[in-house]
Amino acid sequence: MFKPITIKDIAQALDLSPSTVSRALSDSYEINEETKKRVLDYAEQHNYRRNPMASSLRHGRSYSIGVVVCEVANSFFSQAIDGIESVAYGKGYHVIISQSHDAYEREVVNIQHLANRAVDGLLISMSAETKDFSHIVKLHEQGLPIVFFDRIIDTFETHTVTSNNKSGARSATLSLIGRGFKKIAHLANAPHLSITLERMEGYEEALESNGIPLDESLIRYCHHGGRVQQEVENAVKYFLDLDEKPDAIFVASDRLSMGCLSAYNKLAPEEVRPAIAGFSNSDVLDLFQPGFTCVRQPAFEMGRVAMEMLILLIESRYPVYDFENVVLDTELIVR
């Protein structure tokens, strides 16, 4: 079993007191340069590393951040994590990433595990299945700094970072209308998610502004957020079985876009497949359907801003009562 070298080991080897070694490692002015050099040289030769748990006990901070996302393999979240890490490591924080896979039970377990590891704060993007927020509310009430990004809740006040979902959805739907499509279906995420409601509004606005009546029968929800491919295939089969099939579909998320294109490739010949536009930060989808029009979120920037906000909460010497809800613009990529 690996046993790292400790301050006591260094003290014994160099015939010094543990307190002298500790102060030398901290570059204290109380220790002369010769002793510092002896300690640092020995520590480096024997691969000494500070004990993070001991450090957290001394300073009341672990310098670690918990990040909860649905899936790291998702292009949007991998880019957001890059943004988070670009700030965190520069500020001396370590990032612990946890995946919910859009499952409520896993989100609860992961968040509790991160809290038990004494993270200094949490960055959370809600899972598609989560409707009960009590596991998060309890931690907030206990004083743990929490910032939400992308999929947010308004159960309590804190900083949030989102993209302009309504505008992005409207642009994607308008791009389909501009190409002459009139019967535009909508494949949506779980109905209770913040992003679902906002993107639905943009879809409805685009139809209304062009005199196209909203047809509720053309809207299908995926309550598992695309995690269950069969659920996506069932929605596609529903569209294919309609007497008047949609000639286009607006898809509301990265994972759903992938699942929707995959389902159509599996279930329908090319001549009956509708045009598809949707939210996606992936370049892979264009391989499934050349000309795929997508709405791109500023994922890296969202992660960066969310991390900066969380650090401000963590390092504030006084209670914070003024919170920001940052909304970043999306970009429509028309191929």
Side-chain angles (χ1 to χ4, degrees):
M1 180 177 176
F2 173 70
K3 186 179 179 182
I5 188 173
T6 67
I7 285 177
K8 287 184 178 179
D9 294 330
I10 298 174
Q12 185 175 8
L14 300 180
D15 195 24
L16 298 170
S17 70
S19 60
T20 297
V21 172
S22 178
R23 288 196 292 270
L25 291 170
S26 301
D27 196 25
S28 171
Y29 69 91
E30 299 174 290
I31 308 300
N32 64 57
E33 293 302 318
E34 181 183 347
T35 302
K36 281 184 189 177
K37 187 175 186 311
R38 285 179 63 209
V39 170
L40 292 173
D41 286 348
Y42 189 90
E44 184 176 357
Q45 290 168 12
H46 293 80
N47 200 31
Y48 168 77
R49 294 291 180 270
R50 288 184 180 275
N51 184 329
M53 294 303 294
S55 179
S56 68
L57 288 172
R58 284 196 305 273
H59 301 289
R61 192 180 297 172
S62 67
Y63 290 94
S64 60
I65 302 295
V67 179
V68 182
V69 297
C70 70
E71 184 183 40
V72 174
N74 183 304
S75 297
F76 167 79
F77 287 110
S78 65
Q79 292 163 23
I81 289 169
D82 283 345
I84 290 168
E85 291 183 335
S86 74
V87 174
Y89 294 119
K91 296 284 188 177
Y93 289 86
H94 293 278
V95 175
I96 305 172
I97 300 165
S98 180
Q99 301 180 90
S100 69
H101 291 289
D102 272 327
Y104 166 73
E105 292 83 1
R106 184 169 291 193
E107 179 184 272
V108 172
V109 169
N110 289 350
I111 286 178
Q112 192 58 58
H113 175 72
L114 290 168
N116 290 340
R117 291 192 61 174
V119 294
D120 293 331
L122 289 172
L123 288 175
I124 302 175
S125 183
M126 302 300 299
S127 89
E129 294 181 3
T130 301
K131 297 179 183 178
D132 177 4
F133 311 130
S134 58
H135 57 296
I136 300 173
V137 173
K138 288 177 183 176
L139 294 175
H140 167 72
E141 291 174 346
Q142 291 168 7
L144 183 66
I146 299 171
V147 170
F148 295 99
F149 70 102
D150 188 44
R151 304 169 176 190
I152 66 176
I153 61 174
D154 58 5
T155 308
F156 55 84
E157 283 194 321
T158 188
H159 295 307
T160 63
V161 185
T162 63
S163 61
N164 196 330
N165 292 298
K166 183 177 177 180
S167 174
R170 184 171 59 244
S171 296
T173 308
L174 287 174
S175 75
L176 293 170
I177 295 172
R179 291 162 61 187
F181 301 112
K182 300 294 183 184
K183 200 169 187 63
I184 303 172
H186 179 29
L187 186 60
N189 218 313
H192 60 276
L193 286 175
S194 59
I195 59 172
T196 302
L197 301 173
E198 294 167 359
R199 293 172 189 181
M200 181 69 73
E201 287 180 7
Y203 163 73
E204 292 177 357
E205 273 193 12
L207 297 180
E208 183 181 359
S209 65
N210 283 272
I212 301 174
L214 177 67
D215 185 348
E216 297 283 354
S217 70
L218 293 178
I219 300 172
R220 304 300 289 179
Y221 293 96
C222 289
H223 294 261
H224 300 285
R227 179 172 64 93
V228 180
Q229 179 61 17
Q230 188 60 53
E231 184 180 44
V232 182
E233 289 190 7
N234 289 342
V236 168
K237 287 176 183 175
Y238 168 83
F239 292 141
L240 289 170
D241 289 341
L242 290 173
D243 292 334
E244 292 186 39
K245 297 175 179 57
D247 53 11
I249 302 177
F250 162 58
V251 188
S253 76
D254 207 321
R255 193 169 189 175
L256 285 178
S257 294
M258 179 72 78
C260 181
L261 289 171
S262 179
Y264 267 107
N265 287 342
K266 175 182 176 181
L267 300 172
E270 189 171 349
E271 58 269 18
V272 300
R273 295 175 197 166
I276 297 177
F279 275 74
S280 177
N281 277 50
S282 172
D283 293 321
V284 175
L285 291 179
D286 201 39
L287 300 175
F288 279 83
Q289 180 168 313
F292 175 75
T293 294
C294 67
V295 178
R296 291 221 165 165
Q297 298 172 268
F300 181 93
E301 184 68 4
M302 287 173 70
R304 187 189 68 77
V305 172
M307 186 68 246
E308 288 183 343
M309 287 178 154
L310 183 59
I311 289 177
L312 287 176
L313 287 181
I314 292 169
E315 298 186 351
S316 175
R317 296 182 179 180
Y318 306 100
V320 178
Y321 299 106
D322 295 323
F323 299 101
E324 288 188 71
N325 300 309
V326 175
V327 180
L328 302 175
D329 289 332
T330 59
E331 179 185 9
L332 184 70
I333 308 294
V334 180
R335 297 186 176 96

